[in-house]
Amino acid sequence: MCIRDRVSTQSTGKKAAGDELQGKQRYLGDIGAAIHIVEEKKKPIGHFIVFVAADGLITFSYHLTAKDKTSAVTFTDDEFQAKKEASQVTMTFNAIFKSIVTETVKGKVKLTNTDGTVTASFNISSVKDAKVSQPFVVTLTPVSDPKPKTKHMYLIDPITRMIAKKRSNVEEKEKEVRVSKMHMQSTLSAALLTQDRSTIDRVQKIIVPLREKAAQQSKISSELMAKVEQVERKIRKLKHRGQSNKHPLDAMYESGGAQSYLHLPDAEEHIPVVRPVEDTYCDWLKAKFPLKAGDTLASLVKPPSDPILSKITDPMVLDTMKYLEKVDDWDMSVFDIEKATNGNALYVTTYAILQKLDLVSHFNIDDRTLRNFLKAVQSGYHPNPYHNKTHAADVSQINYFIMTKGGLVDKCKLSKEDLLGGVLAGTIHDYDHPGFNNNFHTRTNAYLSTLYNDRSILENHHCACVFEILRLPQYDIFKTLSDDQRRVVRETMIEMVLATDMGNHAKIFSSFRRRLSDGQDWHERRDDVLLALSMSIKMADVSNCGRPKFLYLEWAKNIATEFYGQGDAEDRRGLSVSPFMDRNKDKVDFPKGQISFMNYVVVPMFEAIAEFLPPVECALQCCTENKEYWQHLE
């Protein structure tokens, strides 16, 4: 063994070709140097280097950066062999050099520094059996050469040769080029990001005030339209007064089609009017769906091949198609579609889904009859703050998402009849809802509560009204179905709509959890398929709690408005105000109500459905974020 400051007086470590220690060149010489950056408290303090010097000596060096001091030890091949024997290491030199290089590069070498004397401890592992190892310790002593010479000899020179070796390797060169390109791209992206942020900050100062002004104008416009519709409803009410001496419900059933029915004295009468809808929306969708092989929803905005449709440049139609590109997504906004279609989101969304699933063609449904039916159903929705046609469109799309992208169609092997009934159930599930819940009907002894014996009052009414519409030929979309097909579709629609009664939630949910624990195939029994479809529409009906916050808060505002309307009516009647419906306690009660509803109803149901259908798990994260919104306000 020799210290480097005495190397000039000794013979070099070089041997004749073939006599060199095995593994020395392969594991150490060919890489230039093995380097370990020594850290203390995650900060670099020095370098430990193992290398073969130009004169062939096996060299271990340790350079302490802060003090600029170096410790080292060198071995000729004979000295290294003697060191091996003295250490009682029986492994081959291949194993020794491989282990030294590996432990150095990976930082596994154990280093202790006592006043400049450094001890490096290695575990020499067998090439054949990595579990077998032997200790090998090297001691480095302080070097007395002048600092510039020492630093060059034990630090700069080995690092330089290691870099040169790497660059001479083609693979390393390519890797270095890739790393350099990545670094350049990263630097460029960072610079562009800084520039973009500056632009955004500048533009936002202009946009934010304009956006606030637009929101105010939109609110004023909505209020004016609501007043116009209110006047129109009063005019229609005057026209209808005295036309029949029969009970309103009997008259409605006999007349067929979308009819007016006064549920309660507290509810403003809604007289359905089928407003004309631009055919272009449906013509465009009919030409696009079902998608051709290789097409995606992104192709919706591209004009169809039809020569007439291809000339359409109406921004409302193009915007609608842009928003419908997200029909397969959990975060689709029906509010955007409602604006783009001038209040026809339910009509357009349901039509798009039926065409996309190829159900219209499969059942040979007359296209004009379908459009008539969807217009009639849409017209039957009251302009309530929450239970309105926009909510129906939202539930229809999410129910479709759960059945298709959520995986229900495969899990339960849904038939075309199941899909048709499932889609339509979402569309009709709140038809003719007066904006007052079942409990209010029961407490006020309303006619419908007597008719349906206080059992799923509104849900029964929704179904009964829609199936009365279907009695007339111009609305009968089922006329091409066989008797068996009609029975299955009707059964599916009724089962799903009745499942939206929250009064039956505990019963339905407990049945689902019991069935979920059985673990058998869900498609074998009809009752299981209907139970799964019921859970789909139940999740869709309260899905706003698990949607992105920008959608959830809009729905939360709407439901609060409707709640307070019922609370006011209860107060006028001298009834106790229902929980969370007292507008005088809105600052405290409403956030608590939303949190409680999520904790005890929404989250347990979403968790169980996510176990059944993993793709819908995304709703849980959104639900957590929405709940935190209210918790921060408390």
Side-chain angles (χ1 to χ4, degrees):
M1 180 182 72
C2 61
I3 304 302
R4 257 295 182 171
D5 59 355
R6 294 183 286 117
V7 74
S8 60
T9 64
Q10 297 189 355
S11 61
T12 68
K14 293 182 179 179
K15 288 192 172 189
D19 292 339
E20 192 174 69
L21 302 179
Q22 287 187 348
K24 175 182 171 182
Q25 184 62 31
R26 177 185 177 187
Y27 291 110
L28 196 54
D30 287 348
I31 65 170
I35 300 176
H36 165 53
I37 298 176
V38 184
E39 293 184 345
E40 187 176 89
K41 296 180 180 180
K42 296 185 178 181
K43 293 184 178 180
I45 62 169
H47 298 80
F48 177 73
I49 307 174
V50 185
F51 61 99
V52 177
D55 53 12
L57 293 173
I58 302 165
T59 306
F60 297 79
S61 70
Y62 179 89
H63 180 76
L64 190 61
T65 306
K67 297 182 179 180
D68 200 17
K69 291 185 178 181
T70 303
S71 299
V73 64
T74 61
F75 298 90
T76 64
D77 286 2
D78 289 338
E79 288 170 341
F80 198 72
Q81 187 166 358
K83 175 66 178 174
K84 170 181 177 292
E85 293 170 357
S87 301
Q88 297 182 339
V89 175
T90 59
M91 307 288 186
T92 64
F93 279 107
N94 272 317
I96 293 173
F97 285 113
K98 183 179 180 181
S99 297
I100 288 173
V101 170
T102 300
E103 295 216 334
T104 300
V105 172
K106 292 185 176 181
K108 292 184 178 181
V109 57
K110 295 179 181 178
L111 301 169
T112 58
N113 184 0
T114 306
D115 297 328
T117 300
V118 179
T119 301
S121 301
F122 301 91
N123 282 317
I124 308 302
S125 301
S126 169
V127 176
K128 295 181 179 179
D129 187 358
K131 293 181 180 180
V132 178
S133 64
Q134 295 174 336
F136 186 75
V137 180
V138 177
T139 303
L140 292 69
T141 56
V143 178
S144 59
D145 276 342
K147 287 182 180 179
K149 179 181 178 183
T150 301
K151 194 170 184 177
H152 184 274
M153 186 180 298
Y154 295 109
L155 180 65
I156 298 174
D157 185 57
I159 291 176
T160 302
R161 284 192 288 112
M162 180 195 71
I163 294 172
K165 288 281 186 181
K166 282 192 172 185
R167 287 183 174 174
S168 65
N169 185 304
V170 176
E171 290 183 1
E172 291 293 338
K173 274 186 176 179
E174 292 177 351
K175 189 185 294 184
E176 190 175 338
V177 170
R178 288 198 299 271
V179 171
S180 297
K181 285 183 178 179
M182 288 172 64
H183 180 69
M184 289 171 61
Q185 187 63 43
S186 175
T187 304
L188 179 61
S189 298
L192 291 172
L193 183 60
T194 302
Q195 185 180 13
D196 290 344
R197 282 175 177 166
S198 175
T199 304
I200 291 170
D201 290 340
R202 188 174 67 255
V203 172
Q204 272 192 330
K205 292 178 181 178
I206 302 171
I207 290 178
V208 171
L210 291 175
R211 185 181 295 165
E212 291 174 353
K213 185 177 180 181
Q216 291 173 354
Q217 293 298 326
S218 177
K219 183 181 178 182
I220 294 170
S221 177
S222 297
E223 290 173 351
L224 289 173
M225 287 191 67
K227 289 180 180 179
V228 170
E229 289 186 358
Q230 186 179 23
V231 172
E232 288 178 344
R233 286 196 297 273
K234 288 180 178 179
I235 293 171
R236 289 195 295 270
K237 185 177 179 180
L238 290 172
K239 287 181 178 179
H240 280 71
R241 185 173 294 170
Q243 290 185 2
S244 175
N245 294 322
K246 296 180 180 179
H247 190 283
L249 196 62
D250 294 332
M252 183 181 70
Y253 282 174
E254 288 181 9
S255 302
Q259 300 292 324
S260 170
Y261 174 68
L262 184 60
H263 296 250
L264 304 154
D266 311 82
E268 188 172 342
E269 184 177 7
H270 173 65
I271 299 174
V273 175
V274 177
R275 299 179 182 276
V277 182
E278 178 62 54
D279 278 336
T280 308
Y281 297 108
C282 291
D283 291 344
W284 190 293
L285 291 166
K286 184 180 178 182
K288 284 291 186 176
F289 288 133
L291 293 173
K292 297 178 179 61
D295 281 354
T296 64
L297 284 167
S299 65
L300 266 183
V301 294
K302 297 178 182 177
S305 56
D306 183 281
I308 297 176
L309 294 175
S310 64
K311 296 179 182 178
I312 293 175
T313 57
D314 186 345
M316 293 181 69
V317 175
L318 297 177
D319 283 348
T320 301
M321 299 308 146
K322 177 184 175 183
Y323 298 135
L324 281 173
E325 284 182 6
K326 295 177 71 67
V327 72
D328 282 352
D329 297 339
W330 184 256
D331 62 348
M332 189 189 93
S333 171
V334 290
F335 296 114
D336 290 337
I337 298 175
E338 186 78 352
K339 291 176 183 176
T341 59
N342 196 25
N344 293 294
L346 177 59
Y347 171 75
V348 171
T349 301
T350 303
Y351 187 87
I353 291 170
L354 291 171
Q355 290 288 4
K356 185 173 184 294
L357 292 174
D358 201 24
L359 296 173
V360 180
S361 174
H362 178 82
F363 290 107
N364 196 27
I365 298 172
D366 179 72
D367 188 64
R368 182 50 56 186
T369 302
L370 175 61
R371 298 187 192 193
N372 291 341
F373 171 74
L374 294 178
K375 288 177 189 176
V377 170
Q378 181 174 260
S379 72
Y381 276 88
H382 295 215
N384 302 317
Y386 183 83
H387 290 99
N388 52 39
K389 54 190 171 70
T390 313
H391 166 69
D394 190 55
V395 172
S396 297
Q397 188 264 329
I398 291 298
N399 185 45
Y400 155 79
F401 175 92
I402 297 168
M403 290 194 296
T404 54
K405 298 300 176 182
L408 188 61
V409 66
D410 297 321
K411 192 85 171 184
C412 293
K413 292 184 168 45
L414 297 181
S415 64
K416 291 288 188 179
E417 290 77 12
D418 293 329
L419 286 171
L420 179 60
V423 172
L424 293 176
T427 303
I428 72 164
H429 85 282
D430 273 331
Y431 178 89
D432 200 34
H433 194 298
F436 294 84
N437 63 19
N438 285 337
N439 187 46
F440 187 87
H441 281 72
T442 301
R443 294 177 74 192
T444 58
N445 199 28
Y447 177 76
L448 287 182
S449 67
T450 304
L451 180 66
Y452 294 116
N453 301 309
D454 298 333
R455 305 281 179 87
S456 302
I457 300 166
L458 289 172
E459 292 72 26
N460 273 300
H461 181 66
H462 304 324
C463 291
C465 289
V466 170
F467 279 101
E468 280 301 313
I469 291 175
L470 287 164
R471 290 195 312 115
L472 294 181
Q474 65 264 39
Y475 303 117
D476 186 9
I477 58 175
F478 299 152
K479 60 187 172 186
T480 57
L481 276 63
S482 67
D483 290 342
D484 285 342
Q485 288 175 324
R486 276 176 174 261
R487 177 186 57 77
V488 172
V489 174
R490 175 177 162 83
E491 175 188 49
T492 302
M493 291 172 67
I494 293 173
E495 189 77 15
M496 291 178 70
V497 174
L498 293 182
T500 61
D501 178 8
M502 288 305 294
N504 294 326
H505 173 74
K507 180 181 177 181
I508 296 171
F509 185 44
S510 60
S511 297
F512 178 70
R513 295 182 75 167
R514 283 196 302 272
R515 179 61 187 83
L516 196 60
S517 64
D518 289 345
Q520 299 174 358
D521 289 336
W522 279 73
H523 65 274
E524 294 179 351
R525 296 176 61 248
R526 180 63 183 164
D527 286 348
D528 289 341
V529 174
L530 290 174
L531 177 59
L533 284 166
S534 295
M535 292 305 298
S536 174
I537 198 169
K538 281 177 65 60
M539 182 178 189
D541 200 22
V542 297
S543 64
N544 51 77
C545 292
R547 305 286 290 286
K549 190 163 65 176
F550 76 96
L551 293 175
Y552 164 69
L553 291 179
E554 187 71 23
W555 287 120
K557 178 188 70 177
N558 294 346
I559 193 68
T561 304
E562 191 165 303
F563 276 180
Y564 299 144
Q566 177 171 321
D568 293 344
E570 290 170 337
D571 187 51
R572 285 194 299 270
R573 282 176 173 258
L575 301 172
S576 60
V577 177
S578 298
F580 314 118
M581 295 187 181
D582 189 343
R583 68 172 67 250
N584 296 317
K585 301 177 181 178
D586 64 319
K587 294 290 189 294
V588 176
D589 277 12
F590 190 74
K592 284 185 177 178
Q594 289 293 290
I595 293 170
S596 296
F597 184 62
M598 291 187 208
N599 282 338
Y600 299 111
V601 177
V602 178
V603 171
M605 180 168 67
F606 283 14
E607 286 177 342
I609 297 176
E611 180 184 344
F612 180 55
L613 303 172
V616 304
E617 192 174 6
C618 58
L620 286 167
Q621 179 59 37
C622 290
C623 195
T624 300
E625 293 172 1
N626 293 332
K627 188 166 59 175
E628 288 174 351
Y629 171 82
W630 297 112
Q631 290 169 339
H632 289 322
L633 294 180
E634 287 188 311

